[in-house]
Amino acid sequence: VALTSPQDISALKAFKASIKPSSIQPWSCLASWDFTATDPCALPRRTHFTCGLLCSSDSTRVTQLTLDPAGYSGQLTPLISQLTQLTILDLSDNYFFGPIPASISSLSNLQMLTLRSNSFSSSVPDSLTQLKNLDSLDLSYNSLSGSLPKNTFLMSSLRRLDLSYNKLTGSLPKLPPNLSELALKNNVLSGVITKNSFDGLTQLEVIELSENSFTGTLEAWFFLLPALQQVNLSNNTLTRVGISKPVDGRSDLVAVDLGFNKIQGYLPVNFADYPMLSSLSMRYNRLRGGIPLEFSHKKSLKRLFLDGNFLIGKAPIGFFSGDVPVAGSLGDNCLQGCPVSSQLCSPSQKSYSVCKQAYGRKPRP
């Protein structure tokens, strides 16, 4: 007598039927799914349904569908919505293609949705924002396009969002209030990064927005997000950055990468007031002026990349005294007295003529 709910069996049959038979290897989980021989949730499992599924304690409902990375190819059937007790759906590292079915919104108990490293296309379904219990959403390394759902902020339980390596366009919407990790690397997102998108995000620790097309000024509020630890906004088109001192001198900020933008102005001295900052990159921007002495006195700083700018004056001697062992590069600037023997001064400085042209006169600190 079958224990598994008939609607779950029907959904699992439809799920397997949507996979190309030629992509189901004999040793894979799906190859062991034989609906004529064994009930999917029956125990003990010996030769059938050996993996890919977990069921409820009474063996009546499927609660987890986690495929092995066996090269399965096919579309994700909309009938997946019948598995209404699913808490985890993980199809990562396969060859699923086509749209993500909007019917996934019926999986109201879903806590983790991982479709990473497939070939899903079309847009991110707006209906995903109805998943109020979802803790982690990973759709990275696919071919998703269009803009992010405007109601993304309604996903009140979401703590981890990764949509990196897709073809997403448009600006950032208002983000879910309980996010701790945000990764949207390598898309085509654009516009100014506004406070409205990040308003109320008191638990956000990691922001990965590199390799997009964000423009304009990154304002001072950004680095004052209370839980912020790591920021990567490299390879965008930012032109200005505002940095305030941390509130009451307290901040968990450890690493900042703003390299390969078009940031103008002086190197922000207030970064030196962030007590735990150990890695800072502002390489290949359009920075001018000198390197503040505060950076060479900062004991927490272990990595500093300022190469590829138009910094002038003398490189702070503290970087070469041995008191503060800093790795990185001050090369390809207009600095004086940067010891050739130091790895920190590689590559060599810009030529005098290039520096003079950049400043329109003899460069002076």
Side-chain angles (χ1 to χ4, degrees), residues 3-325:
L3 296 175
T4 309
S5 163
Q7 76 177 55
D8 284 14
I9 293 177
S10 174
L12 292 175
K13 286 180 177 178
F15 177 81
K16 183 174 182 179
S18 68
I19 308 298
K20 294 180 180 179
S22 60
S23 71
I24 301 177
Q25 303 298 327
W27 43 265
S28 66
C29 287
L30 278 185
S32 74
W33 289 17
D34 185 348
F35 295 93
T36 64
T38 309
D39 178 61
C41 288
L43 292 174
R45 297 175 185 168
R46 298 188 183 279
T47 57
H48 305 290
F49 295 96
T50 57
C51 55
L53 296 176
L54 284 180
C55 298
S56 58
S57 57
D58 61 1
S59 299
T60 60
R61 301 302 304 273
V62 177
T63 58
Q64 294 185 26
L65 174 50
T66 306
L67 281 193
D68 47 337
Y72 303 116
S73 177
Q75 298 200 39
L76 179 55
T77 173
L79 294 178
I80 195 76
S81 61
Q82 293 181 3
L83 299 173
T84 55
Q85 292 302 308
L86 271 189
T87 59
I88 295 177
L89 176 58
D90 186 347
L91 310 179
S92 57
D93 299 297
N94 282 290
Y95 296 101
F96 284 88
F97 58 88
I100 299 171
S103 62
I104 278 187
S105 61
S106 298
L107 302 178
S108 59
N109 293 297
L110 205 60
Q111 298 173 19
M112 180 183 296
L113 176 58
T114 304
L115 305 179
R116 174 176 51 82
S117 295
N118 280 282
S119 298
F120 286 106
S121 57
S122 192
S123 60
V124 178
D126 289 338
S127 61
L128 287 184
T129 63
Q130 299 174 29
L131 296 172
K132 298 297 189 294
N133 291 310
L134 200 64
D135 175 84
S136 175
L137 175 61
D138 188 346
L139 308 179
S140 60
Y141 293 92
N142 280 285
S143 297
L144 298 170
S145 58
S147 57
L148 292 167
K150 292 181 179 179
N151 291 330
T152 301
F153 69 94
L154 294 177
M155 305 175 78
S156 55
S157 296
L158 197 66
R159 292 184 52 78
R160 181 176 180 271
L161 174 62
D162 192 346
L163 303 177
S164 301
Y165 291 92
N166 279 287
K167 302 174 183 177
L168 300 172
T169 56
S171 57
L172 287 178
K174 185 173 175 57
L175 296 166
N178 291 308
L179 272 188
S180 62
E181 296 182 32
L182 172 66
L184 298 170
K185 178 179 182 179
N186 204 303
N187 279 283
V188 201
L189 298 169
S190 59
V192 176
I193 295 173
T194 65
K195 189 174 183 179
N196 181 62
S197 296
F198 292 84
D199 194 34
L201 271 66
T202 59
Q203 301 176 56
L204 188 58
E205 298 175 351
V206 178
I207 300 176
E208 170 58 88
L209 299 176
S210 64
E211 298 176 68
N212 280 285
S213 299
F214 291 111
T215 57
T217 299
L218 189 62
E219 297 179 351
W221 60 263
F222 185 86
F223 291 100
L224 298 179
L225 290 168
L228 197 59
Q229 296 179 18
Q230 299 178 45
V231 173
N232 191 345
L233 270 160
S234 63
N235 291 280
N236 278 281
T237 320
L238 300 172
T239 53
R240 294 280 179 181
V241 58
I243 308 293
S244 296
K245 293 184 178 182
V247 179
D248 298 325
R250 298 178 181 176
S251 172
D252 294 329
L253 190 64
V254 173
V256 175
D257 191 345
L258 296 172
F260 299 95
N261 278 277
K262 296 182 179 179
I263 299 171
Q264 305 175 22
Y266 297 111
L267 179 61
V269 65
N270 285 339
F271 268 136
D273 287 302
Y274 285 75
M276 299 179 67
L277 188 66
S278 67
S279 178
L280 173 64
S281 173
M282 295 192 72
R283 63 193 320 200
Y284 290 92
N285 279 284
R286 298 174 180 177
L287 297 175
R288 295 167 171 250
I291 300 175
L293 290 174
E294 287 85 347
F295 285 99
S296 66
H297 298 154
K298 186 170 177 56
K299 293 184 177 180
S300 68
L301 195 61
K302 304 300 180 187
R303 289 165 52 85
L304 180 64
F305 288 90
L306 301 177
D307 46 315
N309 285 285
F310 295 90
L311 298 171
I312 58 176
K314 291 188 176 182
I317 193 171
F319 285 136
F320 313 104
S321 64
D323 296 335
V324 183

Side-chain angles (χ1 to χ4, degrees), residues 323-337:
D323 296 335
V324 183
V326 176
S329 177
L330 306 179
D332 198 15
N333 278 290
C334 299
L335 295 170
Q336 301 171 0

